[in-house]
């Protein structure tokens, strides 16, 4: 758990009597998140039946709710987003001979798990099912347990009565805004300033705005149907693109909430805004609800059939996030269907006839790309001797399977495109020079071969679509195919 150097600005407690113990809160202080909210969403996504059984406890008070949720699923303490400055402060306090305690409103079982993992506290006290150890109740317990005084580290307005009665105060994160008020109470104060944040950047990253590029498939039927010069059709499709984008971003948040523990155990995903604690799980959930409501509302206003297809997409995405992505091969089939539904949306928005050629090509093409991503994951896991691939239904030794099915899907997509050009009568009706269109299967074939070569060599480091957006060769092939379409017209 190595800190980033630009975040490490540690204070000392030398101005306080060394006999005074350091008492630390958990939620928002020792960790950047809230254990109750994490417990709730963990149970919602992974143990919904057990969560329903806790409903009677919701009416027995907050302490009973915390205990019930903690009993449904325990939090993995090694995966929590700890505040490195606080951990270093606690280490220094112990090195100086000062006793340290974790006293939190979280359930006692969570407090015990945290100190057992960290091994840097002399004791822990939490809520117990009948007593919610927060604010003045926490203060009463502290005064009874440490009559000679204590130093208290907290982060919220609920900690004000404790700070004002403490022998020393450590204000953490958002708690620094109470500095003047605590000093006026005659208490010595030390502050741990909030880490530098970039909320706009974090939210744009969390909403995966760059992934909206995949939604441009909605516009594909306009080009293939030769109605791209119809202003009303373009405007309507653009509105559909925005509505669908909101829904897609909401599903990414749902996916991050559902995969919180797996993301925190991942080498790179642990830096995502929710996993790292820069965006709280409750903020993410509320943003998700807002975007779902706005997106579905816009879809209904645009076209009821479009709203129906969007609803199917949403249901399939939720099923994928919660279960299907852990089922080998079915996961890539679902991904192919989700991309194909984007094309369907463009068709229903503009009243265009469904093309079995286009839809079957889309399904095979995107199944191939999904398998390329799974293949590189299996190859990497196999190369380092892993026994499993976290969060997936594949084993490292499955790489020959992903390779075989992936190349088969690639071939199928090219054959479908060639058959369409050779057998579809509308090709000669819509295009003056249809021979130019044969550049498309050639370009797609070359590009897919390159994707699979990079995947097998473990050089494909991104989602293939994201990779293409940053790859000069991919842009060149795309420009070549676009030029061929222009020549054909």
């Amino acid at each position: 758990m190595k800190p980033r150097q630009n975040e490490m600005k540690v204070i000392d407690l030398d101005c306080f009597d060394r006999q005074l113990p350091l008492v630390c809160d958990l939620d928002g202080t020792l960790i950047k998140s809230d254990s109750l909210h994490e417990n709730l969403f963990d149970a919602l996504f992974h143990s919904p039946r057990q969560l329903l059984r806790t409903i009677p406890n919701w009416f027995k008070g907050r302490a009973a709710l915390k205990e019930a949720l903690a009993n449904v699923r325990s939090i993995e303490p090694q995966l929590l987003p700890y505040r490195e400055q606080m951990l270093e402060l606690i280490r220094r306090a112990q090195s100086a001979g000062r006793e340290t305690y974790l006293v939190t409103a979280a359930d006692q079982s969570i407090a015990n798990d945290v100190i057992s993992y960290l091994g840097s506290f002399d004791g822990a006290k939490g809520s117990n099912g009948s007593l919610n150890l927060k604010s003045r109740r926490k203060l009463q317990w502290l005064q009874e347990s440490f009559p000679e005084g204590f130093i208290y580290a907290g982060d919220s307005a609920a900690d004000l009565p404790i700070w004002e009665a403490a022998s020393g105060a450590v204000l953490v994160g958002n708690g620094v805004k109470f500095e003047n008020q605590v000093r006026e109470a005659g208490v010595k104060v030390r502050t741990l300033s909030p880490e530098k944040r970039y909320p706009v950047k974090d939210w744009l990253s969390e909403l995966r705005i760059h992934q909206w590029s995949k939604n441009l498939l909605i516009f594909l039927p306009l080009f293939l149907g030769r109605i791209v010069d119809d202003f009303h059709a373009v405007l309507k499709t653009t509105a559909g693109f925005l509505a669908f984008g909101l829904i897609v971003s909401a599903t990414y948040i749902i996916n991050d909430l559902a995969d919180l523990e797996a993301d925190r155990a991942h080498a790179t995903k642990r830096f995502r805004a929710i996993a790292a604690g820069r965006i709280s799980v409750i903020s993410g959930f509320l943003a998700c609800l807002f975007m779902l409501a706005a997106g579905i509302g816009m879809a209904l206003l645009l076209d009821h059939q479009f709203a129906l297809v969007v609803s199917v997409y949403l249901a399939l995405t939720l099923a994928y996030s919660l279960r299907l992505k852990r089922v080998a091969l079915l996961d890539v089939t679902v991904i192919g269907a989700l991309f194909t539904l984007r094309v369907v949306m463009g068709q229903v928005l503009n009243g265009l006839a469904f093309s079995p050629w286009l839809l079957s090509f889309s399904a095979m093409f995107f199944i191939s790309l999904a398998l390329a991503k799974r293949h590189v994951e299996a190859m990497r896991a196999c190369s380092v001797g892993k026994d499993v691939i976290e969060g997936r239904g594949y084993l490292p030794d499955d790489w020959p399977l992903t390779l075989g099915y992936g190349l088969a899907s690639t071939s199928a997509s090219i054959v479908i495109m060639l058959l369409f050009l050779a057998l579809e009568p509308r090709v000669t009706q819509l295009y003056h020079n249809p021979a130019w269109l044969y550049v498309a299967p050639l370009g797609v074939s070359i590009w897919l071969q390159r994707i699979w070569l990079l995947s097998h060599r473990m050089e494909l480091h991104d989602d293939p679509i994201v990779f293409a957006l940053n790859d000069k060769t991919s842009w060149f092939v795309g420009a070549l195919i676009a030029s061929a379409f222009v020549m054909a017209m």
Side-chain angles (χ1 to χ4, degrees):
M1 187 169 50
K2 294 182 179 179
R4 284 179 258 180
Q5 294 302 315
N6 60 350
E7 294 179 359
M8 286 298 296
K9 184 181 178 182
V10 182
I11 63 173
D12 61 66
L13 304 177
D14 293 342
C15 63
F16 301 114
D17 187 337
R18 288 196 178 184
Q19 299 304 311
L20 294 174
L22 172 62
V23 177
C24 180
D25 185 28
L26 178 66
D27 299 326
T29 303
L30 184 62
I31 63 174
K32 302 172 187 176
S33 59
D34 187 300
S35 59
L36 174 60
H37 296 155
E38 297 213 1
N39 249 158
L40 175 61
F41 287 105
D42 190 36
L44 175 64
F45 289 114
H46 301 289
S47 303
R49 291 182 181 177
Q50 289 89 329
L51 178 62
L52 290 175
R53 293 172 187 162
T54 68
I55 291 179
N57 296 86
W58 299 10
F59 305 98
K60 297 178 181 178
R62 206 170 180 85
L65 170 62
K66 292 175 180 179
E67 183 180 52
L69 290 176
N71 289 335
V72 170
R73 281 179 66 90
S74 59
I75 287 180
E76 296 294 334
Q78 71 273 19
L79 299 177
L80 289 172
Y82 291 97
R83 198 180 293 274
E84 183 61 31
Q85 291 170 301
M86 274 305 305
L87 290 177
E88 183 61 26
L89 180 64
I90 292 164
R91 293 187 195 110
R92 291 190 179 190
Q94 285 208 316
S95 297
R98 192 185 301 277
E99 291 184 345
T100 57
Y101 296 89
L102 178 65
V103 181
T104 172
D107 189 70
Q108 183 68 53
S109 61
I110 294 175
N112 291 340
D113 288 343
V114 168
I115 68 166
S116 176
Y117 165 67
L118 293 177
S120 53
F121 285 97
D122 294 292
K125 176 63 178 177
S127 299
N128 59 12
S130 58
L131 174 67
N132 186 33
L133 200 65
K134 189 171 183 177
S135 196
R136 296 194 180 279
R137 290 178 179 174
K138 182 186 287 189
L139 173 60
Q140 182 181 351
W141 186 89
L142 289 172
Q143 288 175 329
E144 292 173 356
S145 302
F146 308 108
E148 301 301 320
F150 56 88
I151 306 166
Y152 181 74
D155 71 294
S156 68
D159 296 316
L160 263 174
I162 306 173
W163 281 322
E164 291 172 347
S167 304
V170 178
L171 280 53
V172 181
N174 292 329
V176 298
K177 63 186 178 183
F178 301 108
E179 181 177 358
N180 291 336
Q181 191 171 342
V182 177
R183 287 189 186 279
E184 288 172 1
V187 180
K188 290 182 181 179
V189 174
R190 287 290 180 270
T191 60
L192 283 179
S193 299
E195 295 166 3
K196 193 171 183 179
R197 293 190 178 186
Y198 304 92
V200 174
K201 181 181 178 182
D202 283 339
W203 275 107
L204 290 176
S205 176
E206 182 58 37
L207 299 179
R208 313 291 207 286
I209 297 299
H210 62 284
Q211 297 283 12
W212 283 33
S213 58
K214 299 175 181 178
N215 302 340
L216 292 172
L217 285 170
I218 290 179
F219 292 94
L220 185 60
L222 271 69
F223 288 91
L224 299 181
R226 301 289 296 276
I227 59 171
V228 71
D229 56 346
D230 185 334
F231 177 75
H232 180 264
V234 173
L235 186 63
K236 188 175 184 180
T237 307
T238 301
F241 172 81
L242 294 174
F244 181 57
L246 291 174
I247 292 170
V248 168
S249 288
T251 62
Y252 279 119
I253 294 179
I254 293 173
N255 186 69
D256 285 354
L257 292 174
D259 283 355
L260 195 56
E261 287 190 355
D263 284 354
R264 285 174 176 167
H266 193 274
T268 57
K269 292 180 181 179
R270 63 194 177 97
F271 297 116
R272 287 177 176 174
I274 290 180
R278 297 192 303 275
I279 294 177
S280 69
V281 292
I282 194 67
S283 296
F285 180 69
L286 292 175
C288 169
L289 291 181
F290 171 77
M291 288 187 292
L292 283 177
I296 293 173
M298 288 176 64
L300 286 169
L301 290 174
L302 285 169
D303 186 281
H304 284 187
Q305 278 192 314
F306 173 66
L308 177 62
V309 178
V310 166
S311 299
V312 172
Y313 178 95
L314 178 59
L316 195 55
T317 299
L318 292 177
Y320 174 83
S321 295
L322 300 179
R323 179 72 184 99
L324 300 183
K325 69 179 178 182
R326 296 176 180 84
V327 182
L329 298 182
L330 180 58
D331 63 333
V332 295
T333 305
V334 172
I335 291 173
L338 291 173
F339 275 101
T340 303
L341 283 173
R342 289 170 163 90
V343 179
V344 173
M345 290 174 197
Q347 292 175 323
V348 298
L349 266 175
N350 297 286
L352 298 172
F354 292 106
S355 168
W357 296 108
L358 176 59
L359 299 183
S360 55
F361 164 76
S362 174
M364 290 296 101
F365 178 79
F366 289 109
I367 285 174
S368 173
L369 295 185
L371 280 165
K373 188 176 180 181
R374 297 293 177 267
H375 182 66
V376 73
E377 290 172 352
M379 290 289 290
R380 284 174 183 156
C382 190
S383 68
V384 297
K386 283 188 176 181
D387 295 324
V388 295
I389 303 174
E390 291 294 335
R392 302 296 183 193
Y394 299 86
L395 298 175
D397 290 336
D398 286 337
W399 67 264
L401 190 67
T402 55
L403 179 64
Y405 275 111
L407 295 178
S409 301
T410 294
S411 301
S413 67
I414 302 303
V415 169
I416 290 169
M417 188 182 290
L418 288 169
L419 289 174
F420 167 72
L421 294 176
L423 302 177
E424 177 58 57
R426 286 181 298 174
V427 172
T428 55
Q429 296 170 5
L430 292 173
Y431 297 93
H432 294 295
N433 301 296
W436 281 101
L437 296 177
Y438 283 89
V439 173
L442 176 62
V444 171
S445 177
I446 292 172
W447 185 77
L448 285 174
Q449 289 174 32
R450 182 164 181 264
I451 287 292
W452 274 99
L453 181 64
L454 293 173
S455 175
H456 194 63
R457 290 178 175 177
M458 296 181 285
E459 296 175 7
L460 186 66
H461 302 294
D462 296 301
D463 178 298
I465 302 296
V466 176
F467 166 81
L469 293 175
N470 299 289
D471 178 56
K472 292 180 180 179
T473 303
S474 299
W475 279 97
F476 174 76
V477 172
L480 191 66
I481 294 173
S483 300
F485 268 89
V486 172
M487 296 299 292
M489 289 188 289

